[in-house]
Amino acid sequence: MHLSFLIHNAYGIGGTIRTTFNLARALAEHHDTEIVSVFRHRDDPAFGLPEGVTVRPLVDLRRGSAGYEGDSAALAAPSRVFPRGESRYHQYGRLTDARIAAHLRTLEADVVIGTRPGLNVHISRQTRRGPARVGQEHLSLESHGYRLRREIGHRYALLDAVTTVTEADARAYRTGLRLPGVRIEAIPNSVPEPPGPPADGDRKWVVAAGRLHRAKRFDLLVRAFADVVRERPDWGLRIYGGGEEKGALTALIDTLGLAGTVVLMGPVHPMEAQWPLASIAVVTSDREAFGMTIVEAMRAGLPVVATDCPLGPAEIIDDGRDGTLVPVGDAKAVADALLALIADDGLRHRMGRAALAASARFDPARVAERHERLYASLTGREPGRGRRSALRSGAYLARSAVLDGAYALRHRAAGVLRGDAGG
């Protein structure tokens, strides 16, 4: 099959970029696979070119390049397609409308895959008849504002399938939206096997990683670790990542007398080499769309203590076997779970081995197989067989016209009720 991903910016750094590259690289072993990036702001992708995958941009934002378009009036003009409720809306404009449309209307592919809600809307509205249309959800339906959820509810009806990274989010899509005829499947993100040996479980470090944001609750982790240190002063905590909470966390560490014991390591890319330098990983988030750091730690052979927050941890960790789930916001429960693993070498080693074995289900090859089966069923073909029938394409055109008209009527009616002056 010919598979085409559409991504916001393949040249940046982020979880969606990394997991898209992992998936595309695995799929490229059996299929003609490309990643089309709306924007390009540097010469080469920060994560490197995925082997066997073609990466090409639509809009050049490299200052000084011959094709630079960052100051284009057409880019500054508001987009008419990319949804206003999407967080990236102000980066899109008439220029991206035209470039994405030209790409999708001439695309010779069996499946086109969007990687964020705004691009899924583009795919639903602008893809020529023929390719199967798949929208990926890398966050969660609940995390989107009302305006974007309304757009998703209308526009996603023109997709063939939506994939979420957790079963909990898949249920939210199935029960919270009316998307007749759209397949909704939960397929987790993939994480490659680390290049080096797994953790030995004997290093006296606990590790956490992620953006230093309030939702990650590193403040709660620091307070919990103060309790840990009172009983086990020989252990330390390393927190990897950067963000707006760095100053507040630094002050909290100093206030609690934890300098040198709790260390803010800053952002590190990639993280693979850092996980085996610890013996336990910890996640204290109020919410997680999936939990990539949990899987990364498990792939390195670390047991993980994680808050049982929506949506991902409980679908990744087998509580009591390869990690521990604790209530959200409970610093004492975090400290107690860490101390249990610190105090019992045998338990820590057993859980680490179990985590390593369980994490194999997130290997890119296994995850790619699940996507491949979905794509084959949508196109009505196995690898190497013909495209789906023209009858399916004609049905799409009829459904598209009806839904576009219905959406326009509802949107205008909603505007009248709110007193909006235009769309």
Side-chain angles (χ1 to χ4, degrees), residues 1-7 10 20-21 23-25 27-28 31-37 50 52-58 103-104 106-113 115:
M1 288 184 284
H2 180 187
L3 310 174
S4 181
F5 290 84
L6 183 62
I7 196 168
T20 300
F21 277 29
L23 175 59
R25 185 184 295 110
L27 289 168
H31 305 282
D32 180 11
T33 305
E34 69 173 2
I35 296 174
V36 176
S37 178
V53 179
T54 300
V55 178
R56 58 188 178 93
L58 300 179
H103 161 60
L104 292 174
T106 59
L107 178 64
E108 291 291 335
D110 295 293
V111 186
V112 57
I113 305 110
T115 55

Side-chain angles (χ1 to χ4, degrees), residues 349-366:
H349 289 126
R350 285 194 303 276
M351 277 196 170
R353 289 192 297 269
L356 183 63
S359 69
R361 72 187 188 274
F362 299 102
D363 186 81
R366 293 193 183 186

